[in-house]
Amino acid sequence: MSDTKRVTDEEALLLHSSGRPGKLEITPTKPLTTQRDLALAYSPGVAVPCLRIAEDPSLAYDYTAKGNIVAIISNGTAVLGLGDLGALAGKPVMEGKAVLFKRFADVDGIDLEVDTRDVDEFVNCVRFLGPSFGGINLEDIKAPDCFIIEERLRELLDIPVFHDDQHGTAIIAAAGLINACDITGRRIEDVTMVVNGAGAAGIACAELFCTMGVSRENIILCDTKGVVYRGRTNGMNQWKSSFAVETDKRTLEEAVAGSDVFVGLSAKGAMTPEMVKSMAAKPIIFALANPDPEITPEEVKAVRGDAIVATGRSDYPNQVNNVLGFPYLFRGALDVRATTINEAMKVAAAKALAALAREDVPDEVDAAYSGRRLRYGPDYIIPVPFDPRLIVTVPAAVAQAAMESGVARKPILDLTSYKHSLRTRLDPTADSLELILEKVRTNPRRVVFAEGEEERTIRAAMAFRAHGYGTPVLIGREEVIREQLTAMGQPNVQFEIHNARLSDANRRYADHLYRRLQRKGALLRDCQRMVNQDRNVFAACMVAQGDAHAMVTGLTRSFGVAYEEIRRVIDPKASEPVFGLHLSITRNRTVFIADTTVHVRPDGKTLADIAIGAAAKARQMGHEPRIAMLSFSNFGQTPHPNTDPLREALSILDSRRVDFEYDGEMSADVALDYQLMKRVYPFCRLSGPANVLIMPGLHSANISAKLLNKMAGGQMIGPLLIGLDKPAQIVTMGASVNDIVTAAALAAHDSLPW
């Protein structure tokens, strides 16, 4: 790998200086738009929580942001790999750490740069600031000062104190070690290991490896003066001495020979190809020096094709990246108000990371890494930072370990609900869907996956079953599906598979289809051919004949084609239109958009029917509908024949006396901006911003939904197919595995009795 920088100095400086300098700002969480808001948030209202906290200090977690704030504190004596730059020069790194806390775990980080190199002064400064925060993240402090500072602050404070340079690296490396041992067939208790680098990270890694089961006698620690052995006096301290072993080896080269594992936390070039050759079979090499590893993966592979290699760099597989640890470790610790971060919590984090790496990786993660297929094996032993499952997996494991080890002051009584709350912190769709998904888990259904030979379909079926939504049924040739499973590394997974051409149900399905189509120009043999050859028709027949509850399709054919094939078998519900519904979901708002797929130019009656169906779906998903009939015009402001159907729809809704709010015609800005609506059109009947938008035609609806999907920054679900007599959902051809699972779960939910 070239040493060429991936970013230039000018690019880095421009990012930090453009717009508002730096990488942080503070945003209020309460409104401050009226005099009353001011009176409640500040004087006189603020006096009330002050008095309550004075009576009971624990109430600070209830009335202030303390429980979600971590102080990121450094004196700048070991900034990255740059050395002692001082407190102020370390500030960009501390700001960056705060950004990572927020981005990955929704923890608010406040950076504090303490301008002293004196350990006592540093400790006193931090101890007296302690009440302001829920936790302390120490950063970029040189060894051995960092050991002393952390130890003393942990004794003085009743909140978690964590030196990430030590323990963050150790946790991620331990997760990688668990899986590397698994892949190479080793027991962690039996491995022999060399740790090169006796600073903060090296000592912490060695300590955690011992906690995980590595024998202390099987670890040889090396520093710039060679092996740390019993009896050595030069360059020693109490932390190195705890790893001194009886050995006649004196150099790194001698120590590495025959060893199973090399962990480097030292400097570029410390490991040579000759040393790699001397290691045991299937060596495990963690070359973690930054920015340049002790030896590159290319250099290792040139001499040992059986090695597993990890580095600290993002441009190689198996990156040991601290961002996999510290945000989630603190998230779990804060949520149970832990008094400390102990060894049990670190081990739990490492094991959770290792277990996650063995699971199937979502498409969204592959896409974030240039489409590289991430699959458990020698080149994927550690999850990657943009895996959305980390926010649930690691904090939940850490919180549980804190409770079991007795350091949690606020135990979590319902871990399932807690995991759901973690999902909603970063995924706005989770909260909207949870009630529906929980109902499906309580009432599992049989769902047909029509395109059963597609890899994404197979992975979605596996996830559907793993989530407890029911039984997936795959349509396709069994031998092809088995080949796909083997290629995916899942040869033993079993599914119910139906080959449309060979199924015993063919005749029954063909007769059913013939009864429907015989007066529409279809012969019996035409129906037999459709059932035999068209998986969508076959899947729809399974649902129509009661052999399954619902179906999902769409990966290999356009929406229009798939819809036409399903409609040959399944009718609309009586007196209801079939229409498409998209959900645009952001952290603060969910908006339903209809009709996005079926009706090109709906008349007034169809628009009214769509509004009723969309309102019912919104309620089913936990939202009280407020419907806006959208147009370019506001309440007759610009009379035009194109607005006539909207006004007709309003009249129909009036006559039907529906039980939801609606109004129009109105423009999109008025519908979504309630202050604008009430200021300019105070007669509007909506009591808040619209959350169901009925579009005047397919062009505007489909374009709007797709623009929002690409530009709004939230999540888009859909199109949901509403109004069929039997549940079927059609995903887009570019749908991810998660999209397919969601569509299948929603189809399953549609099959439940209301």
Side-chain angles (χ1 to χ4, degrees):
M1 176 64 64
S2 168
D3 290 335
T4 302
K5 293 182 179 179
R6 288 191 167 270
V7 296
T8 66
D9 293 352
E10 291 74 16
E11 287 175 317
L13 293 173
L14 180 62
L15 180 141
H16 285 81
S17 63
S18 61
R20 291 190 181 188
K23 300 187 283 286
L24 295 175
E25 66 176 350
I26 293 176
T27 302
T29 60
K30 301 296 187 291
L32 199 62
T33 56
T34 67
Q35 179 63 34
R36 179 172 176 78
D37 293 339
L38 184 61
L40 287 169
Y42 200 57
S43 182
V46 73
V48 181
C50 290
L51 292 171
R52 295 290 189 273
I53 293 169
E55 295 169 1
D56 180 358
S58 69
L59 292 177
Y61 286 95
D62 298 317
Y63 297 135
T64 76
K66 173 183 171 75
N68 198 55
I69 297 181
V70 168
I72 304 159
I73 306 182
S74 177
N75 63 1
T77 54
V79 179
L80 298 177
L82 305 174
D84 186 349
L85 300 184
L88 187 59
K91 185 174 177 64
V93 180
M94 303 311 115
E95 283 190 357
K97 202 83 171 187
V99 172
L100 297 178
F101 265 113
K102 189 66 177 178
R103 164 61 181 82
F104 290 104
D106 196 27
V107 172
D108 296 314
I110 301 293
D111 67 292
L112 298 173
E113 290 73 40
V114 181
D115 192 13
T116 181
R117 290 167 176 78
D118 183 276
V119 168
D120 292 334
E121 289 181 344
F122 188 97
V123 169
N124 276 333
C125 175
V126 176
R127 71 176 290 196
F128 292 125
L129 290 171
S132 300
F133 307 106
I136 304 290
N137 183 93
L138 300 172
E139 194 76 24
D140 288 0
I141 303 170
K142 69 178 183 179
D145 293 0
C146 60
F147 302 126
I148 301 168
I149 288 169
E150 184 188 45
E151 184 176 334
R152 287 175 59 183
L153 286 174
R154 290 181 66 178
E155 293 172 354
L156 292 167
L157 297 174
D158 64 348
I159 58 176
V161 178
F162 181 81
H163 185 211
D164 185 48
D165 297 322
Q166 294 182 59
H167 311 299
T169 302
I171 289 167
I172 316 309
L177 180 64
I178 291 169
N179 284 339
C181 287
D182 174 66
I183 291 168
T184 58
R186 291 181 169 97
R187 294 175 69 249
I188 200 167
E189 296 83 0
D190 299 331
V191 298
T192 57
M193 175 184 294
V194 174
V195 176
N196 188 48
I203 296 290
C205 283
E207 289 285 3
L208 188 59
F209 294 157
C210 290
T211 302
M212 302 287 296
V214 178
S215 170
R216 191 172 288 263
E217 294 301 315
N218 284 351
I219 297 177
I220 295 180
L221 181 67
C222 297
D223 61 10
T224 55
K225 295 178 173 57
V227 171
V228 174
Y229 57 89
R230 285 182 187 153
R232 186 181 125 173
T233 58
N234 187 20
M236 294 294 287
N237 57 42
Q238 67 187 77
W239 296 279
K240 292 182 186 179
S241 295
S242 68
F243 283 96
V245 294
E246 287 287 352
T247 180
D248 58 358
K249 298 178 179 180
R250 294 294 181 264
T251 67
L252 175 63
E253 184 175 9
E254 292 172 351
V256 164
S259 64
D260 297 311
V261 182
F262 170 83
V263 179
L265 297 138
S266 50
K268 176 183 178 182
M271 186 74 163
T272 67
E274 289 69 26
M275 294 182 193
V276 173
K277 287 181 184 179
S278 73
M279 293 181 70
K282 299 180 181 179
I284 299 167
I285 299 171
F286 288 5
L288 306 182
N290 264 324
D292 298 302
E294 286 81 358
I295 188 169
T296 67
E298 293 95 335
E299 291 171 320
V300 173
K301 296 298 183 184
V303 295
R304 293 295 294 268
D306 60 342
I308 291 179
V309 185
T311 72
R313 291 178 57 141
S314 60
D315 50 356
Y316 288 119
N318 299 328
Q319 183 191 19
V320 175
N321 190 331
N322 285 22
V323 79
L324 294 170
F326 68 85
Y328 311 111
L329 195 71
F330 271 100
R331 178 76 274 155
L334 292 171
D335 289 339
V336 295
R337 298 183 189 173
T339 57
T340 187
I341 292 174
N342 58 23
E343 292 302 298
M345 296 159 74
K346 297 173 198 172
V347 170
K351 288 183 176 179
L353 287 168
L356 185 61
R358 302 184 193 192
E359 297 181 12
D360 185 51
V361 179
D363 287 349
E364 293 85 350
V365 179
D366 288 342
Y369 290 85
S370 304
R372 181 166 66 94
R373 185 74 178 92
L374 302 172
R375 186 177 298 159
Y376 181 59
D379 288 332
Y380 179 66
I381 60 173
I382 308 168
V384 289
F386 288 102
D387 192 322
R389 300 169 298 175
L390 288 163
I391 184 61
V392 177
T393 302
V394 182
V398 170
Q400 186 162 6
M403 292 187 288
E404 291 173 352
S405 60
V407 298
R409 287 177 291 197
K410 184 186 176 184
I412 294 168
L413 301 179
D414 185 346
L415 276 173
T416 300
S417 296
Y418 174 56
K419 289 178 181 180
H420 168 62
S421 72
L422 290 170
R423 277 194 295 272
T424 62
R425 282 187 173 273
L426 299 180
D427 180 7
T429 64
D431 199 39
S432 294
L433 292 176
E434 186 59 28
L435 289 175
I436 284 177
L437 299 181
E438 184 56 37
K439 190 170 182 180
V440 175
R441 280 190 288 266
T442 306
N443 303 274
R445 316 302 274 173
R446 281 172 57 83
V447 174
V448 185
F449 290 73
E451 296 153 312
E453 295 179 2
E454 300 296 313
E455 181 189 350
R456 276 179 289 167
T457 300
I458 296 170
R459 291 170 57 209
M462 291 167 60
F464 182 87
R465 183 164 61 192
H467 289 321
Y469 300 147
T471 302
V473 179
L474 299 182
I475 307 302
R477 293 164 293 179
E478 183 165 359
E479 64 275 14
V480 175
I481 294 172
R482 290 286 163 216
E483 287 173 5
Q484 286 278 30
L485 285 166
T486 300
M488 292 162 55
Q490 302 288 343
N492 298 319
V493 172
Q494 298 299 316
F495 283 116
E496 180 180 337
I497 300 172
H498 291 264
N499 185 327
R501 186 180 297 276
L502 304 177
S503 172
D504 293 337
N506 268 8
R507 183 53 187 263
R508 177 161 53 92
Y509 293 168
D511 288 344
H512 171 75
L513 190 60
Y514 184 52
R515 286 193 296 271
R516 292 177 51 79
L517 302 182
Q518 58 189 334
R519 293 184 179 274
K520 296 181 180 179
L523 302 175
L524 177 59
R525 64 185 181 187
D526 297 325
C527 296
Q528 290 171 333
R529 176 178 47 78
M530 283 186 273
V531 169
N532 287 343
Q533 298 182 7
D534 193 312
R535 292 168 189 167
N536 285 335
V537 170
F538 186 89
C541 285
M542 286 192 74
V543 177
Q545 288 286 289
D547 296 335
H549 295 106
M551 67 169 286
V552 63
T553 188
L555 281 184
T556 61
R557 298 178 189 179
S558 68
F559 185 95
V561 171
Y563 175 69
E564 180 182 344
E565 290 166 347
I566 292 169
R567 284 284 283 108
R568 289 173 183 161
V569 184
I570 300 175
D571 289 324
K573 294 179 181 176
S575 303
E576 293 187 22
V578 178
F579 64 94
L581 184 69
H582 273 84
L583 281 74
S584 175
I585 302 174
T586 62
R587 178 161 293 192
N588 300 316
R589 175 181 288 185
T590 296
V591 176
F592 298 79
I593 306 169
D595 163 34
T596 55
T597 57
V598 179
H599 299 278
V600 175
R601 181 68 69 180
D603 58 21
K605 180 181 181 304
T606 302
L607 286 170
D609 289 339
I610 290 172
I612 292 170
K617 193 65 178 179
R619 275 192 177 137
Q620 189 186 28
M621 299 187 75
H623 299 267
E624 187 57 33
R626 292 186 298 274
I627 288 182
M629 297 285 184
L630 290 195
S631 174
F632 63 87
S633 172
N634 285 297
F635 305 104
Q637 185 179 40
T638 308
H640 191 279
N642 284 345
T643 64
D644 291 344
L646 297 166
R647 286 193 291 273
E648 181 187 351
L650 288 171
S651 297
I652 293 171
L653 292 175
D654 289 341
S655 67
R656 294 184 183 179
R657 300 183 182 278
V658 296
D659 62 348
F660 52 81
E661 295 181 17
Y662 60 93
D663 211 341
E665 81 277 16
M666 67 179 78
S667 59
D669 56 340
V670 171
L672 297 173
D673 185 340
Y674 188 60
Q675 297 301 320
L676 174 64
M677 182 193 302
K678 300 316 289 182
R679 185 173 70 250
V680 182
Y681 305 103
F683 54 83
C684 182
R685 295 181 288 193
L686 301 186
S687 63
N691 58 6
V692 181
L693 308 180
I694 306 302
M695 309 297 279
L698 186 57
H699 280 84
S700 58
N702 195 273
I703 291 169
S704 298
K706 290 180 178 177
L707 279 173
L708 281 171
N709 187 29
K710 295 299 181 183
M711 299 180 66
Q715 299 288 328
M716 185 70 74
I717 295 176
L720 306 183
L721 197 55
I722 310 295
L724 286 177
D725 189 47
K726 300 287 184 180
Q729 292 298 339
I730 304 171
V731 300
T732 61
M733 295 176 72
S736 68
V737 169
N738 188 58
D739 294 333
I740 302 168
V741 174
T742 299
L746 290 171
H749 185 263
D750 287 341
S751 72
L752 297 171
W754 281 32

